[in-house]
Amino acid sequence: MKVRVLGCSGGIGGAQLRTTSLLVDHDILLDAGTGVCELSLAELTAIDHVFLTHAHLDHIAALPLMLDSVADLRSRPLTVHACEATLESLRQHIFNGAIWPDFSEIPSREQPSLRFQPVAVGETVQIGGRRFTPVPAEHSVPAVGYHLDSGAGSLVFTGDTTVNDAFWPVVNRIANLRYLIIETAFPRHEQELATVSKHLSPATLADELGKLERDAEIFITHLKPGQCALTMAEIGECAGRFKPEFLENNQIFEF
């Protein structure tokens, strides 16, 4: 599997700040934040599946626009995989005919441009030999992370999450783990905001990584704009022994 980082910022504000989206090979998206806007029309048309971690706007913002751009260029529906609560949020608040057209009924209910497919923690979806398994996340809305397994290696993406004891036993069972992408949204002085919004801070990240029993390359995502350098410096102070690195746009992972 080949994963390309399209966006990994906790916000926008310039050419390098794109919100969360990862392109898997050429045909699958993991989240659909503003990073999707980096893709050409031909690249957008090639996407058949989107796996969403949760329904917050920074993780779904490009999905409605992408559908509008490519629906007439595709011969089959785009399948969106997410937990049922996330799918229900999309139905009620995005594809509702008021905010955006309901592409699950366009051009017709019998031949729609969009199909919803519920997922559940621990239940693997296999696409062309590639395995996508939702893993536990703990956030302010229902959410999951994902374990991507090519057979030769694995990448785990936490999505947005906070302290989460249910997550680590799952990760520690992954024998071929190569990469862990984990969020840290706020620096030390915004610990209270991190706690209330259910995100990690440098201190809680360090505590969480202490539960990891596998060797893996660790990358930090979802840092807030304007605070990236500060947060990474604090991560170095708190969690430097784990050698976490800053995730960057256009970074490639192959496994």
Side-chain angles (χ1 to χ4, degrees):
M1 299 171 80
K2 179 178 179 179
V3 174
R4 172 187 163 198
V5 179
L6 303 176
C8 54
S9 175
I12 60 173
Q16 295 304 311
L17 296 183
R18 300 285 184 264
T19 67
T20 304
S21 186
L22 309 176
L23 178 65
V24 183
D25 296 328
H26 67 284
D27 58 336
I28 298 172
L29 287 175
L30 183 56
D31 276 339
T34 63
V36 175
C37 300
E38 297 297 309
L39 298 177
S40 68
L41 189 60
E43 289 173 313
L44 292 173
T45 304
I47 294 167
D48 290 326
H49 300 269
V50 178
F51 287 84
L52 296 177
T53 58
H54 64 294
H56 279 163
L57 194 61
D58 54 329
H59 295 255
I60 68 163
L63 178 61
L65 297 172
M66 180 177 73
L67 278 161
D68 190 49
S69 295
V70 304
D72 62 332
L73 303 175
R74 293 176 50 82
S75 59
R76 57 186 178 275
L78 175 74
T79 301
V80 172
H81 307 259
C83 67
E84 185 56 55
T86 297
L87 296 181
E88 187 58 26
S89 291
L90 292 177
R91 293 186 190 101
Q92 287 190 22
H93 304 299
I94 303 297
F95 299 105
N96 58 8
I99 299 300
W100 206 247
D102 184 358
F103 277 88
S104 67
E105 296 190 353
I106 295 173
S108 69
R109 185 172 296 181
E110 294 71 30
Q111 294 183 309
S113 299
L114 170 64
R115 185 171 72 92
F116 295 119
Q117 182 64 48
V119 300
V121 168
E123 296 183 2
T124 298
V125 178
Q126 187 159 314
I127 301 172
R130 301 160 295 180
R131 296 166 60 87
F132 298 78
T133 306
V135 297
E138 182 65 32
H139 195 37
S140 56
V141 296
V144 297
Y146 286 98
H147 167 203
L148 283 60
D149 188 351
S150 69
S154 286
L155 179 150
V156 172
F157 173 58
T158 65
D160 288 8
T161 194
T162 186
V163 174
N164 182 10
D165 286 336
F167 173 76
W168 297 102
V170 174
V171 174
N172 290 332
R173 290 194 293 268
I174 302 173
N176 65 356
L177 181 66
R178 294 269 303 279
Y179 305 108
L180 171 63
I181 299 176
I182 185 168
E183 73 117 276
T184 306
F186 296 103
R188 184 182 294 130
H189 72 273
E190 293 188 330
Q191 178 61 62
E192 184 176 351
L193 179 56
T195 300
V196 169
S197 60
K198 292 194 172 183
H199 284 285
L200 292 175
S201 68
T204 51
L205 170 72
D207 290 343
E208 289 297 280
L209 290 178
K211 304 168 188 176
L212 177 64
E213 299 171 0
R214 293 280 179 186
D215 290 330
E217 295 182 47
I218 300 168
F219 294 87
I220 306 301
T221 188
H222 209 277
L223 288 87
K224 290 298 182 181
Q227 302 189 118
C228 296
L230 171 62
T231 305
M232 286 303 301
E234 292 178 353
I235 288 171
E237 296 169 4
C238 296
R241 68 189 185 278
F242 298 103
K243 300 180 180 178
E245 298 180 40
F246 175 59
L247 190 68
E248 298 185 65
N249 286 1
N250 291 310
Q251 195 161 351
I252 303 285
F253 299 91
E254 294 188 80
F255 53 98

